[in-house]
Amino acid sequence: MPEVILPGASGRIEGRYSPGKRPDAPIALILHPHPKAGGHMNNPVALTMHQLFVQRGFATLRYNSRGVGKSQGEFDSGIGELADAATALDWLQANNPAATQTWVAGYQFGAYIGMQLLMRRPETDGFISVSPPSNIYDFSFLAPCPASGLFLHGTADTVVPRPRSSAWSISCAPRRASSSTMSWKKARPTSGRTTSALSSAASAPIWTNA
C-alpha cells in the first residue's frame, strides 16, 4: 500500500493509496475520526473500510488530515479538514479519470466531514457513514441526502446514542435511490467489534451493487 504525499492548503497531506486493478475502477476516499481524540488514517475502523473497498476493486485512498502524522498544518475545527478532504478527492479523481463511481466513507468525525464533502461534490455516487456524531454536530444540511449510502451504528455506542442516530438517519431522505441504516449489538466506538460488524455489513445491497 504505497505512501503518497498530496499538496494541500496547509502543506503536505500524508496518505496511503491502493490503486485499482482496472483503469475504470471505482474510487473511494476514507476519512478518519477526530484528530483531537487521537484519530488518524490507521484507526482500525478506517483501515477496515479501506481494505473492504480494495477487496471490492476500488482504487482507495485514506489520509491524515492537517496536523496528524506527517500532514502539515493545525486542526481547524472542521473547516480546514473539509478542505483537506476536497484536496484528497481531487487527487484521487485526477489519478483515476475513468473511474465509474465515486464513494466517500468516514468514521465519527470523519463521517461528518465526509457527508459535508458529499453535499459539495455532486459526482459522488455513494457513502458509508460509521457512527456519525449527530448529537455533537448539526447534520441538517443532509435533508435531503443527494446520494445512496449506508449508515452504520452500534447499539452500545457511548458517543452517539442510537435513538438520536436512528431518528436523524431516517430523516435524511435521499434524492435518488436509497439509504440504509444498519446497527449491531454491543459495538462500541473503540471496540474491535466495530471492525467485525463493518465486515459483516459489507453484504448490504447498497454496498454490493457498487
Side-chain angles (χ1 to χ4, degrees):
M1 191 179 298
E3 178 181 11
V4 293
I5 299 296
L6 320 180
S10 289
R12 64 173 179 262
I13 296 175
E14 174 191 19
R16 293 292 186 278
Y17 176 58
S18 298
K21 295 182 179 180
R22 307 190 322 264
D24 63 343
I27 59 177
L29 180 67
I30 313 298
L31 293 86
H32 63 72
H34 205 297
K36 292 297 186 180
H40 53 80
M41 67 177 176
N42 292 322
N43 169 274
V45 176
L47 181 58
T48 296
M49 286 195 288
H50 186 123
Q51 294 169 339
L52 289 172
F53 273 109
V54 170
Q55 290 169 14
R56 282 153 186 78
F58 283 73
T60 308
L61 172 68
R62 72 183 193 278
Y63 68 96
N64 279 327
S65 60
R66 58 186 61 197
V68 180
K70 296 179 183 178
S71 294
Q72 296 177 315
E74 298 179 352
F75 179 68
D76 193 29
S77 302
I79 298 174
E81 287 69 29
L82 179 56
D84 292 342
T87 295
L89 184 56
D90 286 342
W91 185 93
L92 190 56
Q93 291 176 327
N95 282 272
N96 297 273
T100 55
Q101 290 192 37
T102 298
W103 282 60
V104 174
Y107 177 39
Q108 294 181 345
F109 178 75
Y112 172 61
I113 298 299
M115 298 308 282
Q116 290 190 75
L117 180 66
L118 173 80
M119 295 299 292
R120 290 163 171 76
R121 302 299 283 263
E123 72 272 22
T124 305
D125 299 285
F127 65 87
I128 305 288
S129 189
V130 181
S131 299
S134 56
N135 60 327
I136 301 173
Y137 298 103
D138 182 8
F139 280 77
S140 61
F141 59 84
L142 280 175
C145 185
S148 299
L150 181 66
F151 294 103
L152 295 173
H153 186 264
T155 58
D157 191 328
T158 57
V159 176
V160 184
R162 186 187 176 197
R164 170 91 180 215
S165 179
S166 298
W168 162 75
S169 59
I170 290 172
S171 72
C172 295
R175 291 195 183 107
R176 63 177 188 268
S178 62
S179 296
S180 298
T181 303
M182 297 183 67
S183 60
W184 58 86
K185 295 182 179 180
K186 299 181 181 179
R188 299 182 185 277
T190 57
S191 171
R193 292 191 184 96
T194 305
T195 58
S196 61
L198 182 58
S199 297
S200 298
S203 61
I206 197 71
W207 169 283
T208 55
N209 289 340

